[in-house]
Amino acid sequence: EMLGIPYNGSSVLASALCMDKYMTGQFLATEGFDVPLQYLVDKEQFMNNKDAELARLQEFFGKTSLIVKPHDDGCSVMVAQADTKQELDQALSVIFADGKMHALVEERLKGMELTVGVMGNTTPQALPPSQTVSSKAILSMEEKFLPGAGENQTPAPVPTLSQAFIKNTLEAVYSALNCRGYVRIDCFYQTPSESPTGEERLVILEINTLPALTPATCIFHQAAEIGLKPTDFLDIIVQLGFEEHCRRGIVAATDTSTHSPVTSMTMNPPALENI
């Protein structure tokens, strides 16, 4: 971005925010979206007095079944379910032993786990959701990326009206975070009977601002549901990147402040059929 080179996906700021699951959750909560109950554990406080910190966590959540993960990592790295005080201690210790200064603890959610691609710049379009099926409590990295190792059901088995609710919510999340190009959002869909509010909810877990594009990724399956081949989807991502690059160039060309570099971009994005 500093060199003025076109790139795909969201800006540095949006990607930095979304890489921090705790800060993303806190921001989305202020915007009125549903997120898991969260607690950020500080390594120094935890190591200095484990018993007090574990007691504080149990008091905060009011239950023992929790999810522990790094707040700034992905791909199921060091994600663990903790059903007892001992498991909670072990899960936090593993994260801190890896050099992390903080760990994120969240409530364990009920409902259907979904992963959903969203594409676009200022007008996002959510793709049909996929249900994530895991053989264990926590989805493994192998299930996410190795062909044949995991299962995603596309489209997810939810009613048509609920699919519209899911898509509308995720498009609003995308816009609130100022995402661009394409992302994949992980979330939980709760029916009225599963939701603590008695109404259907979509609880946002995390936003992947540069989701993996391996042959096994479900985002290609979701694109196929609306008639896009993998090459078509990639063409759109490239074109969206050029469009956003040109938009930033126009903004920069009109910036007369002494605090920002002024550049002039005259490049036009190529036609889709020429990419």
Side-chain angles (χ1 to χ4, degrees):
E1 185 167 289
M2 292 174 65
L3 295 174
I5 298 173
Y7 60 89
N8 298 323
S10 299
S11 69
V12 174
L13 177 60
S15 292
L17 172 60
C18 292
M19 193 65 187
D20 189 322
K21 297 179 179 65
Y22 178 73
M23 292 301 297
T24 302
Q26 295 299 297
F27 172 77
L28 290 176
T30 65
E31 295 292 304
F33 298 102
D34 290 307
V35 298
L37 187 61
Q38 298 177 315
Y39 190 103
L40 192 66
V41 181
D42 180 81
K43 177 180 180 180
E44 185 175 355
Q45 291 182 354
F46 178 78
M47 299 306 293
N48 287 341
N49 196 335
K50 283 189 178 184
D51 290 337
E53 193 68 6
L54 291 171
R56 191 176 293 114
L57 281 164
Q58 290 182 318
E59 180 182 359
F60 179 80
F61 286 100
K63 57 183 178 181
T64 55
S65 186
L66 302 170
I67 300 296
V68 183
K69 63 179 76 170
H71 77 105
D72 58 354
D73 220 322
C75 299
S76 301
V77 174
M78 293 184 285
V79 179
Q81 179 177 322
D83 296 322
T84 66
K85 182 178 179 180
Q86 291 72 26
E87 290 177 348
L88 182 57
D89 182 359
Q90 181 180 7
L92 289 168
S93 297
V94 167
I95 292 174
F96 293 139
D98 193 66
K100 301 288 187 182
M101 300 307 296
H102 296 88
L104 181 59
V105 182
E106 295 179 336
E107 63 176 321
R108 185 186 175 197
L109 295 165
K110 296 179 180 179
M112 182 185 298
E113 187 171 1
L114 303 174
T115 185
V116 188
V118 185
M119 62 182 187
N121 285 334
T122 57
T123 307
Q125 177 186 0
L127 299 173
S130 297
Q131 179 186 10
T132 301
V133 181
S134 175
S135 60
K136 299 179 181 178
I138 302 295
L139 189 70
S140 69
M141 190 182 301
E142 290 77 12
E143 287 177 312
K144 282 187 175 182
F145 297 117
L146 289 183
E151 179 184 348
N152 290 297
Q153 185 171 346
T154 307
V158 294
T160 302
L161 287 178
S162 296
Q163 284 212 28
F165 163 71
I166 291 166
K167 291 180 180 180
N168 290 339
T169 302
L170 294 183
E171 287 167 3
V173 166
Y174 190 96
S175 295
L177 291 166
N178 205 29
C179 292
R180 293 291 188 270
Y182 71 119
V183 306
R184 196 190 73 247
I185 302 178
D186 298 334
C187 52
F188 265 84
Y189 170 73
Q190 295 179 330
T191 63
S193 61
E194 294 167 328
S195 169
T197 65
E199 299 178 353
E200 68 175 353
R201 289 202 313 164
L202 193 68
V203 187
I204 310 301
L205 293 181
E206 65 176 277
I207 292 86
N208 302 277
T209 56
L210 279 179
L213 292 175
T214 65
T217 186
C218 62
I219 202 166
F220 286 138
H221 308 157
Q222 295 170 9
E225 288 291 319
I226 62 170
L228 293 176
K229 296 181 293 185
T231 51
D232 297 331
F233 182 71
L234 294 176
D235 284 346
I236 290 172
I237 290 173
V238 172
Q239 183 160 342
L240 289 169
F242 277 121
E243 289 176 358
E244 184 63 11
H245 176 72
C246 290
R247 187 196 67 82
R248 286 194 302 269
I250 293 171
V251 171
T254 59
D255 184 2
T256 58
S257 73
T258 57
H259 301 289
S260 302
V262 178
T263 59
S264 178
M265 303 292 183
T266 58
M267 177 180 176
N268 293 316
L272 183 60
E273 61 269 19
N274 294 330
I275 296 178

